[in-house]
Amino acid sequence: MTTLMNPVARKAIPAYRPLSRRTLFFLVALVLFEFSVYISNSMVQPCMLRIVTEFHAPEAWLASSASAFLLGAALFQVFYGQLTDRFGRRPVMIGGGCLFLAACIAALWVADIRIFALLRVLQGSGMCLIAAVGYVAVQEAFPEKRAVTVIALMTNVALLSPVVGPVSGAFLMEFAHWRWVFGVIIILSGISLCGLYRFMPETLPVIRRSTGLSFSKLAADYRELFRYSSFLQNTFAVPALMLPVFAWSAMAPKLIMVDQGVSSLNYALIQIPVFLGLIAGNVILAWKTRAWPLGRSVIAALPVLAVGVVLLWAAAWYGQRTYLIAAMTCFTLGQGMSCGVLMRFALMESHLTKGTVASAISLITLSVYFTGIQVSNLAVLRWGLWGFVAIVTCSFAVYGLLSGPVLRRNMEKRKAAENT
């Protein structure tokens, strides 16, 4: 057991190994890294109005932090997916984490909004590490339902970042310069990288690794994946579900702080019920995973999401902030109940290596998030809250069209496998 879990060992841990002290420390380090990556987005958001003002940039740059972060996450998928299949999960996770840490350190001295956006792109590389490397390692180490449960619980802890991030970022700005935000992120990510270096196992055996780096092979694998309508249907359902949360995270400073004149601290407090909904959804998913067939929580979440759409229209029609917060809380609750399952379905849609599949999934989803935030920014700048309502409504409609066939196909597949 000690040899298998040694951080310098080249053997992979066997699948389905139960939790031990060392695997638990690995999961804690992975969660802390995930937390530090996500808090690097949510903690910066309350600072954006001050950053744009300090850099003498136009108001359109308010959404640049989130969109540049997601752009970086999408771009690095092309490299990380193939690297992890060639060299293993562990070295790519640690090397990519060091790149994220270096970009955060450089942000302490940035003095131009364009350079700031470029560093946000590099920091976004940490986000794709979580899905393309970290979560793949968890999926390889545990059986299906246990992996979904573990990831749901891990995500639940990491999702504290959207709750803690805005509050702590706004509170920190009351007493210090916004650059101290990156100081906090540097400390957290540094501790997590030390933990990953010490405890992260290698879950990809040498015999299963690709023999070289070939972008032509990567392109061929992507072409094969993109030929499967079931894979595309499942994969596009994820960003259709999650886009309202990412758009809200990017546009809330404009909708709440600029349009309604809310202070940065009150803006942060407004975010708490919204992201508590996301945590509650993940708790429900982890609680019901063993009792329900995989996919039942997605079905249960559909009426919750529909209520969110109705409340969002009411918020725009009556101009009530309470309706707006309640609407976004419904969205985050439904998304927490659904996203982990849909990601599992998408990951298992192909026989190709999981690093490649996870990379393709993240590339598609993050590209949709980036594009959606840009469109949301234009819509909100032109039509205010009604523009945001239109984006969210369209996203929910697309999700409704895609999720039905995805659920039927995957639930029937698993039911047939249980009966054989």
Side-chain angles (χ1 to χ4, degrees), residues 179-386:
R179 295 179 196 274
W180 281 96
V181 166
F182 288 101
V184 173
I185 298 164
I186 289 166
I187 293 171
L188 292 176
S189 57
I191 294 172
S192 66
L193 283 172
C194 290
L196 288 172
Y197 181 80
R198 179 69 180 85
F199 297 110
M200 183 175 183
E202 180 55 73
T203 60
L204 183 66
V206 175
I207 195 172
R208 287 172 48 202
R209 297 182 189 179
S210 58
T211 56
L213 297 176
S214 171
F215 286 100
S216 61
K217 182 182 183 302
L218 180 65
D221 287 344
Y222 276 20
R223 283 196 300 270
E224 181 177 349
L225 279 174
F226 296 162
R227 282 204 305 268
Y228 292 115
S229 60
S230 59
F231 171 79
L232 293 176
Q233 197 174 52
N234 200 150
T235 302
F236 275 101
V238 175
L241 168 71
M242 293 298 295
L243 180 59
V245 169
F246 282 92
W248 168 257
S249 178
M251 300 314 306
K254 163 68 175 170
L255 293 171
I256 302 298
M257 296 172 67
V258 176
D259 291 353
Q260 299 187 15
V262 174
S263 68
S264 59
L265 187 57
N266 285 333
Y267 157 82
L269 295 175
I270 285 171
Q271 300 282 28
I272 292 177
V274 176
F275 291 106
L276 284 178
L278 201 56
I279 293 174
N282 276 275
V283 169
I284 294 171
L285 175 60
W287 173 41
K288 290 295 186 179
T289 294
R290 292 184 180 274
W292 286 355
L294 208 60
R296 178 70 63 81
S297 63
V298 182
I299 297 172
L302 283 170
V304 179
L305 295 169
V307 169
V309 174
V310 173
L311 288 172
L312 192 58
W313 278 82
W317 185 264
Y318 294 108
Q320 292 291 325
R321 190 188 306 157
T322 304
Y323 291 157
L324 176 60
I325 303 307
M328 295 312 302
T329 303
C330 286
F331 274 111
T332 54
L333 176 63
Q335 289 161 356
M337 295 170 63
S338 308
C339 188
V341 176
L342 293 174
M343 287 294 291
R344 176 71 185 191
F345 286 166
L347 190 64
M348 304 307 292
E349 283 280 10
S350 172
H351 66 279
L352 294 174
T353 58
K354 296 305 173 230
T356 299
V357 177
S359 177
I361 292 170
S362 296
L363 178 63
I364 291 172
T365 55
L366 292 169
S367 297
V368 173
Y369 296 150
F370 172 76
T371 305
I373 287 176
Q374 298 307 306
V375 175
S376 299
N377 190 33
L378 294 174
V380 169
L381 288 174
R382 185 174 180 86
W383 296 296
L385 181 56
W386 279 109

Side-chain angles (χ1 to χ4, degrees), residues 25 101 277 336 365 374 418:
F25 285 161
L101 179 60
T365 55
Q374 298 307 306
E418 290 174 358

Side-chain angles (χ1 to χ4, degrees), residues 8-314:
V8 297
R10 293 304 176 194
K11 293 182 180 180
I13 64 170
Y16 319 147
R17 180 170 292 280
L19 284 176
S20 67
R21 182 180 294 180
R22 296 185 70 90
T23 54
L24 181 61
F25 285 161
F26 156 59
L27 294 177
V28 170
L30 182 60
V31 167
L32 183 58
F33 181 76
E34 183 178 17
F35 181 81
S36 64
V37 168
Y38 281 105
I39 207 174
S40 72
N41 187 34
S42 61
M43 200 172 180
V44 171
Q45 286 306 109
C47 308
M48 281 308 297
L49 187 59
R50 189 171 296 181
I51 292 171
V52 167
T53 302
E54 181 177 317
F55 292 160
H56 306 289
E59 195 176 89
W61 283 89
L62 281 171
S64 64
S65 175
S67 58
F69 188 81
L70 291 172
L71 177 62
L75 290 176
F76 278 84
Q77 294 297 331
V78 178
F79 304 101
Y80 284 162
Q82 189 169 186
L83 288 172
T84 190
D85 286 335
R86 172 63 182 89
F87 298 107
R89 315 302 184 207
R90 184 175 179 275
V92 176
M93 185 74 193
I94 294 170
C98 290
L99 175 62
F100 169 80
L101 179 60
C104 291
I105 294 173
L108 296 176
W109 291 279
V110 68
D112 181 82
I113 191 66
R114 293 169 182 82
I115 303 299
F116 177 81
L118 176 60
L119 291 175
R120 294 295 289 160
V121 171
L122 295 177
Q123 291 164 16
S125 67
M127 188 174 180
C128 65
L129 280 174
I130 298 164
V133 186
Y135 280 7
V136 171
V138 174
Q139 297 281 11
E140 290 172 335
F142 300 102
E144 183 170 71
K145 284 199 171 184
R146 180 176 290 179
V148 170
T149 302
V150 169
I151 288 178
L153 290 172
M154 290 170 60
T155 305
N156 190 46
V157 175
L159 286 174
L160 286 171
S161 62
V163 179
V164 176
V167 175
S168 56
F171 183 79
L172 191 60
M173 280 200 306
E174 295 292 323
F175 304 99
H177 196 272
W178 60 264
R179 295 179 196 274
W180 281 96
V181 166
F182 288 101
V184 173
I185 298 164
I186 289 166
I187 293 171
L188 292 176
S189 57
I191 294 172
S192 66
L193 283 172
C194 290
L196 288 172
Y197 181 80
R198 179 69 180 85
F199 297 110
M200 183 175 183
E202 180 55 73
T203 60
L204 183 66
V206 175
I207 195 172
R208 287 172 48 202
R209 297 182 189 179
S210 58
T211 56
L213 297 176
S214 171
F215 286 100
S216 61
K217 182 182 183 302
L218 180 65
D221 287 344
Y222 276 20
R223 283 196 300 270
E224 181 177 349
L225 279 174
F226 296 162
R227 282 204 305 268
Y228 292 115
S229 60
S230 59
F231 171 79
L232 293 176
Q233 197 174 52
N234 200 150
T235 302
F236 275 101
V238 175
L241 168 71
M242 293 298 295
L243 180 59
V245 169
F246 282 92
W248 168 257
S249 178
M251 300 314 306
K254 163 68 175 170
L255 293 171
I256 302 298
M257 296 172 67
V258 176
D259 291 353
Q260 299 187 15
V262 174
S263 68
S264 59
L265 187 57
N266 285 333
Y267 157 82
L269 295 175
I270 285 171
Q271 300 282 28
I272 292 177
V274 176
F275 291 106
L276 284 178
L278 201 56
I279 293 174
N282 276 275
V283 169
I284 294 171
L285 175 60
W287 173 41
K288 290 295 186 179
T289 294
R290 292 184 180 274
W292 286 355
L294 208 60
R296 178 70 63 81
S297 63
V298 182
I299 297 172
L302 283 170
V304 179
L305 295 169
V307 169
V309 174
V310 173
L311 288 172
L312 192 58
W313 278 82

